[in-house]
Amino acid sequence: MLIGERPGLSAPTVLGAYLTFAPKPGLSDAERNCVSNIHGSGLGYDEAAFRIAWLIREGLTRRITGVALKDEVAARPLSASRRI
């Protein structure tokens, strides 16, 4: 499940995305991934889309999200030739 967070009142242009594999009542924050601070002066839209797509693909492949699925993409520098 992917949920996009609407912009907040203090920063109306900032977006966030939350991802959870096999959501159900009772799951903790540790069982979801968050890509946040998405805006023109923060995490760029292209990079955010790449990270979200990577997390979705790897989460579905590995059947996990949250602390069990580390964002391995974040540690690598952004290159113009990134492919999902």
Side-chain angles (χ1 to χ4, degrees):
M1 175 179 285
L2 168 66
I3 298 176
E5 179 183 40
R6 67 173 178 76
L9 296 175
S10 63
T13 61
V14 177
L15 301 172
Y18 297 85
L19 299 98
T20 305
F21 181 81
K24 60 184 175 255
L27 292 182
S28 71
D29 289 346
E31 295 169 286
R32 71 174 152 245
N33 293 91
C34 177
V35 178
S36 61
N37 200 31
I38 304 168
H39 61 97
S41 299
L43 181 62
Y45 303 113
D46 290 343
E47 178 67 5
F50 182 87
R51 289 184 185 187
I52 292 166
W54 186 91
L55 287 165
I56 290 171
R57 184 189 70 222
E58 293 301 315
L60 289 171
T61 299
R62 302 178 194 188
R63 304 179 60 81
I64 55 172
T65 50
V67 296
L69 179 62
K70 301 291 184 193
D71 183 355
E72 298 163 8
V73 174
R76 298 183 210 152
L78 178 62
S79 73
S81 64
R82 273 201 178 163
R83 298 283 185 250
I84 297 175

